[in-house]
Amino acid sequence: MKRSTFVLMALLLAFIPLLSLAQDNYHQLVVEGKEWRYTKESGGQQDGKGYVALVMRGDTIIHGTSYKKLLFEDDGETTYWAAVRENDRKIDFISYGTDAVVHYFDFNLHYGDLIKHNGSTYKLLDEQYVDVSGEQFRVMELWHEMSGGKYVSSDIWIEGIGNLTGLLDITGNWFPFVFPTGNGMGQFTSCYESGTCIFSVEDFMKQRVAFIKTITTRGSDGHTYDLQGRRMSEGKPLQRGIYVKDGRKFVVK
C-alpha cells in the first residue's frame, strides 16, 4: 500500500467518529452535578431570596440497577428527592418514599409517534430545534387526544432539560411525586452543568417566539416552508410533518 493511500485511510477513519457526532447532537439529561434552579417561594409567594434547586449528585443502586440521586437543595439543606436513570434516551424515576419505577421521558419519539400515560394518549405533533444560551435543543410538543380524535397541546419536552416546568411536570399532571419536607419550590428558571448555565427559560421563550414569528412571516409570501425555515419545492409532494403557508401551520400525515 502506498504511503499516501495509507495516510488518506487513516484520516478517513479518524474523521468518521466526528461525522457521527455532528449528525447526533443529543443532549444527555442525566449528568453528575446537573442542576435545575427554581424561584424560591414562601407561603406561595416568591420571596426574592435566591433559589432552590434539584441537583443530580452521587449514585445509588435500586433493585440491582444504578441510578443518579436527585437532591432538593435549599439554603445548604439537602433532601433526597428521587432516583433518576437514563438508558437509550429514556428517563426513569423512582420517587422519594416509593420503590415504583415510572417511565417518564422518551426522547426517541419523533413526529407522529404516540405515548400513553394514565389511560390517556398523547401524540408528538411539533418538533423543532431552538438555539438557547448558545446551545441548540430539540423541542418536542406533545398533544393530548380528546374525544372525536381532536388534539390539544399538552406538554413541551426539551432534550437534556425535561420540560418547561423543569426536570418534571411538578403540577402532578404527569408524575405523582412525593415532595420533600416544606414547600418553597417555585417556577423553573434555568439549568446548569459544571456551574455554567446551559438553558434559560427566559431565553428559550424569546427564541421560540422569534422563531415562530420568523417562520410565520416567511409563510405569508404564498410559499410553503418547513419548521426549519426552508422553502419547499413547488409541485413536489410534501413528506409527513408540519409546514407553514399563508401564515398558518398545517400538518401533512
Side-chain angles (χ1 to χ4, degrees):
M1 182 182 294
K2 293 182 179 180
R3 179 178 175 81
S4 59
T5 303
F6 177 81
V7 171
L8 179 60
M9 290 182 64
L11 288 173
L12 286 173
L13 289 172
F15 180 71
I16 288 173
L18 297 177
L19 181 61
S20 300
L21 182 61
Q23 293 174 339
D24 186 2
N25 294 321
Y26 176 71
H27 288 269
Q28 189 172 343
L29 188 143
V30 178
V31 177
E32 173 69 21
K34 200 164 192 174
E35 179 179 350
W36 289 259
R37 295 184 180 181
Y38 299 77
T39 55
K40 189 174 180 180
E41 295 188 353
S42 178
Q45 300 294 322
Q46 295 183 22
D47 64 9
K49 297 179 181 177
Y51 60 88
V52 296
L54 294 177
V55 182
M56 288 183 181
R57 185 173 295 123
D59 302 299
T60 184
I61 303 295
I62 302 177
H63 305 313
T65 301
S66 179
Y67 287 80
K68 280 289 181 189
K69 293 180 181 179
L70 184 62
L71 310 176
F72 177 82
E73 294 190 346
D74 179 12
D75 288 338
E77 303 252 347
T78 300
T79 307
Y80 175 76
W81 204 52
V84 189
R85 179 172 183 263
E86 181 168 9
N87 181 42
D88 189 27
R89 304 190 182 191
K90 298 177 182 178
I91 315 298
D92 294 340
F93 291 85
I94 298 181
S95 175
Y96 167 80
T98 77
D99 60 0
V101 179
V102 176
H103 307 294
Y104 193 75
F105 296 110
D106 183 353
F107 292 111
N108 294 293
L109 298 178
H110 288 284
Y111 175 82
D113 288 340
L114 299 175
I115 183 172
K116 294 186 180 294
H117 178 76
N118 286 348
S120 297
T121 300
Y122 300 82
K123 191 171 187 177
L124 179 56
L125 287 178
D126 202 342
E127 183 179 7
Q128 60 189 240
Y129 287 85
V130 176
D131 292 321
V132 185
S133 304
E135 295 281 345
Q136 191 175 72
F137 293 88
R138 184 165 74 107
V139 180
M140 309 155 63
E141 188 166 349
L142 294 172
W143 294 58
H144 179 214
E145 185 178 27
M146 308 296 286
S147 59
K150 296 181 179 180
Y151 287 86
V152 294
S153 181
S154 174
D155 201 4
I156 293 178
W157 289 1
I158 305 164
E159 275 188 3
I161 303 300
N163 58 26
L164 283 182
T165 56
L167 179 57
L168 300 159
D169 184 348
I170 59 174
T171 61
N173 292 334
W174 276 78
F175 197 81
F177 253 106
V178 177
F179 286 89
T181 55
N183 52 37
M185 179 180 287
Q187 186 176 6
F188 173 56
T189 61
S190 52
C191 182
Y192 284 72
E193 277 189 20
S194 301
T196 300
C197 180
I198 63 168
F199 185 88
S200 159
V201 173
E202 182 179 8
D203 190 28
F204 172 82
M205 296 306 296
K206 288 180 181 177
Q207 298 298 330
R208 184 169 166 83
V209 169
F211 175 85
I212 293 173
K213 184 177 180 180
T214 299
I215 297 300
T216 302
T217 301
R218 288 180 182 174
S220 298
D221 60 5
H223 298 293
T224 301
Y225 294 83
D226 64 12
L227 289 183
Q228 282 67 51
R230 297 172 296 198
R231 179 175 164 180
M232 300 292 98
S233 300
E234 302 293 338
K236 291 186 177 180
L238 298 173
Q239 297 181 350
R240 71 173 190 167
I242 300 177
Y243 299 89
V244 179
K245 184 175 183 179
D246 297 327
R248 293 177 177 271
K249 283 186 179 180
F250 67 94
V251 178
V252 175
K253 297 183 178 180

